[in-house]
Coordinates of all heavy atoms in Angstrom, one line a residue:
R1 N -5.7 -10.1 7.6 CA -4.8 -9.0 7.5 C -3.4 -9.3 8.1 O -3.3 -10.0 9.1 CB -5.3 -7.8 8.3 CG -4.6 -6.5 8.2 CD -5.2 -5.3 8.9 NE -6.5 -5.0 8.3 CZ -7.2 -3.9 8.6 NH1 -6.8 -3.1 9.5 NH2 -8.4 -3.7 8.1
E2 N -2.4 -9.0 7.3 CA -1.0 -9.4 7.7 C -0.1 -8.2 7.7 O -0.2 -7.2 7.0 CB -0.5 -10.4 6.7 CG -0.3 -10.0 5.3 CD 0.3 -11.0 4.4 OE1 0.7 -12.0 4.8 OE2 0.3 -10.7 3.2
L3 N 0.9 -8.3 8.6 CA 1.9 -7.2 8.7 C 2.8 -7.4 7.5 O 3.3 -8.4 7.1 CB 2.7 -7.4 9.9 CG 4.0 -6.5 10.1 CD1 3.5 -5.1 10.3 CD2 4.8 -6.9 11.3
V4 N 3.1 -6.2 6.8 CA 4.0 -6.1 5.7 C 5.3 -5.6 6.1 O 6.4 -6.2 5.8 CB 3.4 -5.2 4.6 CG1 4.4 -5.1 3.4 CG2 2.1 -5.7 4.1
A5 N 5.3 -4.5 6.8 CA 6.6 -3.9 7.3 C 6.3 -2.9 8.5 O 5.2 -2.4 8.6 CB 7.3 -3.1 6.2
A6 N 7.3 -2.8 9.3 CA 7.1 -1.9 10.5 C 8.4 -1.2 10.7 O 9.5 -1.7 10.4 CB 6.7 -2.6 11.7
I7 N 8.4 0.0 11.3 CA 9.6 0.8 11.5 C 9.4 1.6 12.9 O 8.7 2.6 12.9 CB 9.9 1.7 10.4 CG1 11.2 2.5 10.7 CG2 8.8 2.7 10.0 CD1 11.8 3.1 9.5
P8 N 10.0 1.0 14.0 CA 9.9 1.7 15.3 C 10.9 2.8 15.2 O 11.6 3.0 14.4 CB 10.3 0.6 16.3 CG 10.2 -0.7 15.5 CD 10.5 -0.4 14.1
S9 N 10.8 3.6 16.3 CA 11.7 4.8 16.4 C 13.1 4.4 16.6 O 14.0 5.2 16.3 CB 11.2 5.6 17.7 OG 9.9 6.2 17.5
G10 N 13.4 3.2 17.1 CA 14.7 2.7 17.3 C 15.6 2.6 16.1 O 16.8 2.4 16.2
G11 N 14.9 2.6 14.9 CA 15.6 2.5 13.7 C 15.6 1.1 13.1 O 16.0 1.0 11.9
S12 N 15.2 0.1 13.8 CA 15.1 -1.3 13.2 C 13.9 -1.3 12.3 O 12.9 -0.5 12.4 CB 15.1 -2.3 14.3 OG 13.9 -2.1 15.1
T13 N 13.9 -2.3 11.4 CA 12.8 -2.5 10.5 C 12.4 -4.0 10.5 O 13.3 -4.9 10.8 CB 13.1 -2.1 9.1 OG1 14.2 -2.8 8.6 CG2 13.3 -0.6 9.0
N14 N 11.2 -4.3 10.2 CA 10.7 -5.6 10.2 C 9.8 -5.9 9.0 O 9.0 -5.0 8.7 CB 9.9 -5.9 11.5 CG 9.5 -7.4 11.6 OD1 10.2 -8.3 11.2 ND2 8.3 -7.6 12.1
Y15 N 10.1 -6.9 8.2 CA 9.3 -7.1 7.0 C 8.9 -8.6 7.0 O 9.5 -9.6 7.6 CB 10.3 -7.1 5.8 CG 10.9 -5.7 5.6 CD1 12.2 -5.3 6.0 CD2 10.2 -4.8 4.8 CE1 12.7 -4.1 5.8 CE2 10.7 -3.5 4.6 CZ 11.9 -3.2 5.1 OH 12.4 -1.9 4.8
A16 N 7.7 -8.8 6.4 CA 7.2 -10.1 6.1 C 8.2 -10.8 5.1 O 8.7 -10.2 4.2 CB 5.8 -10.0 5.5
D17 N 8.3 -12.1 5.3 CA 9.2 -12.9 4.5 C 8.9 -12.8 3.0 O 9.8 -12.7 2.1 CB 9.2 -14.3 4.8 CG 9.9 -14.6 6.2 OD1 10.7 -13.7 6.6 OD2 9.6 -15.7 6.7
S18 N 7.6 -12.6 2.7 CA 7.1 -12.6 1.3 C 7.5 -11.3 0.6 O 7.5 -11.2 -0.6 CB 5.6 -12.7 1.2 OG 5.0 -11.7 2.0
V19 N 7.9 -10.2 1.3 CA 8.2 -9.0 0.7 C 9.6 -8.6 0.9 O 10.1 -7.6 0.3 CB 7.3 -7.8 1.2 CG1 5.9 -8.2 1.0 CG2 7.6 -7.4 2.6
K20 N 10.4 -9.2 1.8 CA 11.7 -8.9 2.1 C 12.6 -8.9 0.8 O 12.6 -9.9 0.1 CB 12.3 -9.8 3.2 CG 13.6 -9.3 3.8 CD 14.0 -10.1 5.0 CE 15.3 -9.5 5.6 NZ 15.5 -10.3 6.9
G21 N 13.4 -7.8 0.6 CA 14.2 -7.7 -0.5 C 13.5 -7.0 -1.7 O 14.2 -6.5 -2.6
R22 N 12.2 -6.8 -1.6 CA 11.4 -6.1 -2.6 C 10.9 -4.8 -2.1 O 10.8 -3.8 -2.9 CB 10.3 -7.0 -3.2 CG 10.8 -8.3 -3.8 CD 9.6 -9.0 -4.5 NE 8.7 -9.5 -3.6 CZ 7.4 -9.1 -3.6 NH1 6.9 -8.3 -4.6 NH2 6.5 -9.5 -2.7
F23 N 10.4 -4.8 -0.9 CA 9.8 -3.6 -0.3 C 10.7 -3.0 0.7 O 11.5 -3.7 1.4 CB 8.5 -4.0 0.5 CG 7.4 -4.5 -0.4 CD1 7.6 -4.8 -1.7 CD2 6.1 -4.7 0.2 CE1 6.4 -5.2 -2.5 CE2 5.1 -5.1 -0.6 CZ 5.2 -5.4 -1.9
T24 N 10.7 -1.6 0.8 CA 11.5 -0.9 1.8 C 10.5 0.1 2.5 O 9.8 0.9 1.9 CB 12.6 -0.1 1.1 OG1 13.4 -1.0 0.3 CG2 13.4 0.6 2.1
I25 N 10.5 0.0 3.7 CA 9.8 1.0 4.6 C 10.8 2.1 5.1 O 11.9 1.8 5.4 CB 9.1 0.3 5.8 CG1 8.2 1.3 6.5 CG2 10.1 -0.3 6.8 CD1 7.3 0.6 7.5
S26 N 10.3 3.3 5.1 CA 11.0 4.4 5.6 C 10.1 5.4 6.3 O 8.9 5.4 6.1 CB 11.9 5.1 4.4 OG 10.9 5.6 3.4
R27 N 10.7 6.4 6.9 CA 9.9 7.3 7.8 C 10.6 8.7 7.8 O 11.8 8.8 7.8 CB 9.9 6.7 9.2 CG 9.2 7.5 10.2 CD 9.2 6.6 11.5 NE 8.6 7.4 12.6 CZ 8.5 6.9 13.8 NH1 8.9 5.7 14.1 NH2 8.1 7.7 14.8
D28 N 9.7 9.7 7.7 CA 10.2 11.1 7.7 C 9.5 11.6 9.1 O 8.3 12.0 9.0 CB 9.8 11.8 6.5 CG 10.3 13.3 6.5 OD1 10.6 13.9 7.6 OD2 10.4 13.8 5.3
N29 N 10.2 11.7 10.0 CA 9.7 12.2 11.4 C 9.2 13.7 11.3 O 8.3 14.0 11.9 CB 10.7 12.1 12.5 CG 11.0 10.6 12.7 OD1 10.2 9.7 12.6 ND2 12.3 10.3 13.2
A30 N 9.9 14.5 10.5 CA 9.5 15.9 10.4 C 8.1 16.1 9.8 O 7.4 17.0 10.1 CB 10.6 16.7 9.7
K31 N 7.8 15.1 8.9 CA 6.5 15.2 8.2 C 5.5 14.2 8.8 O 4.4 14.1 8.2 CB 6.7 14.9 6.7 CG 7.6 15.9 6.0 CD 7.7 15.5 4.5 CE 8.5 16.5 3.7 NZ 8.6 16.2 2.3
N32 N 5.9 13.5 9.8 CA 5.0 12.5 10.4 C 4.5 11.5 9.3 O 3.3 11.2 9.3 CB 3.8 13.1 11.2 CG 4.3 13.7 12.4 OD1 5.3 13.3 13.1 ND2 3.6 14.8 12.8
T33 N 5.3 11.1 8.5 CA 5.0 10.3 7.3 C 5.8 9.0 7.2 O 7.0 9.0 7.4 CB 5.1 11.1 6.0 OG1 4.3 12.3 6.1 CG2 4.7 10.3 4.8
V34 N 5.2 7.9 6.8 CA 5.8 6.7 6.6 C 5.5 6.3 5.1 O 4.5 6.6 4.5 CB 5.3 5.6 7.5 CG1 3.9 5.2 7.2 CG2 6.2 4.3 7.4
Y35 N 6.6 5.7 4.5 CA 6.5 5.3 3.1 C 6.8 3.8 3.0 O 7.4 3.2 3.7 CB 7.6 6.1 2.3 CG 7.6 7.6 2.4 CD1 8.4 8.3 3.3 CD2 6.8 8.4 1.6 CE1 8.3 9.6 3.5 CE2 6.7 9.7 1.8 CZ 7.5 10.4 2.7 OH 7.5 11.7 2.8
L36 N 6.2 3.3 1.9 CA 6.5 1.9 1.5 C 6.9 1.9 0.0 O 6.0 2.1 -0.8 CB 5.3 1.0 1.8 CG 5.5 -0.5 1.6 CD1 6.6 -1.1 2.6 CD2 4.3 -1.2 1.7
Q37 N 8.1 1.7 -0.2 CA 8.5 1.6 -1.6 C 8.4 0.1 -2.1 O 9.1 -0.8 -1.4 CB 10.0 2.0 -1.8 CG 10.6 1.9 -3.2 CD 9.9 2.7 -4.2 OE1 9.7 3.9 -4.0 NE2 9.5 2.2 -5.4
M38 N 7.6 -0.2 -3.1 CA 7.3 -1.6 -3.4 C 7.9 -1.8 -4.9 O 7.4 -1.1 -5.8 CB 5.8 -1.9 -3.5 CG 5.2 -1.6 -2.1 SD 3.4 -2.0 -2.0 CE 2.7 -0.9 -3.2
N39 N 8.8 -2.6 -5.0 CA 9.5 -2.9 -6.3 C 9.2 -4.4 -6.6 O 8.8 -5.2 -5.7 CB 11.0 -2.7 -6.2 CG 11.3 -1.3 -5.9 OD1 10.6 -0.4 -6.4 ND2 12.4 -1.1 -5.3
S40 N 9.4 -4.7 -7.8 CA 9.2 -6.1 -8.4 C 7.9 -6.7 -7.9 O 7.8 -7.8 -7.4 CB 10.4 -7.0 -7.9 OG 11.6 -6.5 -8.3
L41 N 6.8 -5.9 -8.1 CA 5.5 -6.3 -7.6 C 5.0 -7.6 -8.3 O 5.3 -7.8 -9.5 CB 4.5 -5.2 -7.8 CG 4.6 -4.1 -6.8 CD1 3.9 -2.8 -7.3 CD2 4.0 -4.6 -5.4
K42 N 4.3 -8.4 -7.5 CA 3.8 -9.6 -8.1 C 2.2 -9.6 -7.9 O 1.7 -8.9 -7.0 CB 4.3 -10.8 -7.2 CG 5.9 -10.9 -7.2 CD 6.3 -12.0 -6.2 CE 7.8 -12.1 -6.2 NZ 8.2 -13.2 -5.3
P43 N 1.5 -10.4 -8.7 CA 0.1 -10.4 -8.5 C -0.4 -10.8 -7.1 O -1.4 -10.3 -6.6 CB -0.3 -11.6 -9.5 CG 0.7 -11.5 -10.5 CD 1.9 -11.2 -9.8

């Protein structure tokens, strides 16, 4: 199991090198929800 992306409360984000530039993590605090937008997907 590997980390793909993380978003702490401080606003910084962290991505695995393999997904950087293709995936975007975001957070909606009011909904207690985190999202992962995945573009240019590969097998």
Side-chain angles (χ1 to χ4, degrees):
R1 185 174 298 188
E2 63 176 353
L3 175 68
V4 177
I7 182 166
S9 296
S12 63
T13 56
N14 186 36
Y15 296 94
D17 289 341
S18 59
V19 308
K20 193 170 185 177
R22 299 187 297 119
F23 292 10
T24 303
I25 188 170
S26 60
R27 182 174 168 181
D28 186 334
N29 293 331
K31 296 180 179 180
N32 290 328
T33 299
V34 64
Y35 305 94
L36 185 68
Q37 179 66 46
M38 304 185 294
N39 298 326
S40 302
L41 283 161
K42 304 174 181 179

